[in-house]
Amino acid sequence: QVQLQQSGPGLVKPSQTLSLTCAISGESVSSNSAAWNWIRQSPARGLEWLGRTYYRSKWYNDYAVSVKSRITFNPDTSKNQLSVQLNSVTPEDTAVYYCARDPGNLGYGMDVWGQGTTVIVSS
Amino acid sequence: QSVLTQPPSASGTPGQRVTISCSGSRSNIGLNPVNWYQKLPGTAPKLLIYSNNQRPSGVPDRFSASKSVTSASLAISGLQSEDETDYYCSTWDDSLNSLVFGGGTKLTVL
C-alpha cells in the first residue's frame, strides 16, 4: 500500500528557508491520477492547506494564497519523493507539516498521510 | 477566519447521536464534494468521509454525512468515548483555486 515518510529539520531560524521531504512508496510521484498535497496544523490556524503538485503529462502546482509567494514544490522522480520549500519563515510558520495523497477518485479527499513533522521557527 | 464555518465545539453522551455542521458558499461546497477528517492528538488526520457521504473501508457505519446546497453535516451515532477528538470538513474552492478546511469542531463525549 502507499506510504509517505517525511523528513526534515524541526528547527528553522526566522527569515530562513524551511525544507521538508516526503518519500513515497507504493505509488509513483508522477502518477497520472494522484495529487500530492502539503498541509500544516497549528493551534492558531487549525488545518491549513499549503498547496499541491501533480503530473498530467507535465507538472502542475496549486498554491494557497497565504503562502503563494514563498512556497516551492520539487518532485524528484529519480528518488520518488517530493519536497517543499517555504522561504522567509516567521514564527507564524511554526506548525506540524504533513504531506498527503489525493488519489484522484475521492473528491479531493486525501487518504494517505505522512507522519507529520513538527517545525519550530525560532532563533 | 476559515472559509468553511464549523461550530468550535459539540458534545454528547455515550450512545447518543451528534451532528457537526459545515457551512460554506457556492464557490466551495456549492460546486464541489465535501470531505471529513478525524484528527486525533499527535496523529495525522484520518479521512472519515469523502465525496459528501462515502466512507473509506474500515470506517464504521456509525459515521455518516450529507450535503445540501452550500452546507454539509457529519453525523456520529452510537457515540463512543473514543470519538472524542477534533473533526474537520474540507472541499475545493473554485474562486480561490485552493483546498479549504473548516476551523474544526472539538467533540466531547460527556
Side-chain angles (χ1 to χ4, degrees), chain A residues 37 39 41 45-49 52 61-65 98 105-111 113-116, chain B residues 32-33 35 37 39 42-47 50-51 86 88 90 92 94 96-103:
Chain A
N37 294 261
I39 300 99
Q41 185 188 27
R45 301 163 79 122
L47 286 176
E48 180 185 12
W49 181 80
R52 65 178 183 172
N61 299 309
D62 294 310
Y63 306 105
V65 170
Y98 297 96
N105 60 352
L106 301 181
Y108 300 102
M110 295 172 282
D111 64 342
W113 292 67
Q115 79 276 23
Chain B
N32 294 294
N35 304 303
Y37 295 89
K39 178 70 175 69
T43 68
K46 172 187 175 182
L47 183 64
Y50 68 93
S51 295
D86 298 329
Y88 292 86
S90 176
W92 187 263
D94 284 6
L96 297 173
N97 199 40
S98 297
L99 194 78
V100 292
F101 285 98

Side-chain angles (χ1 to χ4, degrees), chain A residues 19-122:
Chain A
S19 296
L20 299 173
T21 299
C22 178
I24 303 166
S25 59
E27 187 166 12
S28 171
V29 67
S30 51
S31 160
N32 270 299
S33 57
W36 307 98
N37 294 261
W38 288 94
I39 300 99
R40 66 183 179 184
Q41 185 188 27
S42 64
R45 301 163 79 122
L47 286 176
E48 180 185 12
W49 181 80
L50 300 177
R52 65 178 183 172
T53 188
Y54 57 97
Y55 186 78
R56 303 289 186 268
S57 302
K58 70 175 186 177
W59 289 101
Y60 294 87
N61 299 309
D62 294 310
Y63 306 105
V65 170
S66 60
V67 297
K68 187 172 186 176
S69 63
R70 300 192 289 133
I71 198 166
T72 305
F73 300 130
N74 291 302
D76 185 335
T77 56
S78 65
K79 297 181 179 178
N80 205 44
Q81 65 185 28
L82 54 147
S83 61
V84 60
Q85 292 187 313
L86 184 67
N87 56 39
S88 304
V89 297
T90 72
E92 285 66 43
D93 294 311
T94 294
V96 180
Y97 287 74
Y98 297 96
C99 56
R101 180 189 79 155
D102 165 5
N105 60 352
L106 301 181
Y108 300 102
M110 295 172 282
D111 64 342
V112 180
W113 292 67
Q115 79 276 23
T117 302
T118 300
V119 177
I120 297 173
V121 179
S122 175

Side-chain angles (χ1 to χ4, degrees), chain B residues 43-83:
Chain B
T43 68
K46 172 187 175 182
L47 183 64
L48 205 59
I49 298 285
Y50 68 93
S51 295
N52 302 324
N53 55 16
Q54 303 299 302
R55 282 186 309 277
S57 60
V59 174
D61 59 7
R62 303 187 296 107
F63 295 90
S64 62
S66 62
K67 181 181 113 168
S68 178
V69 192
T70 59
S71 65
S73 65
L74 172 71
I76 308 171
S77 60
L79 199 61
Q80 300 179 2
S81 57
E82 66 211 50
D83 299 331

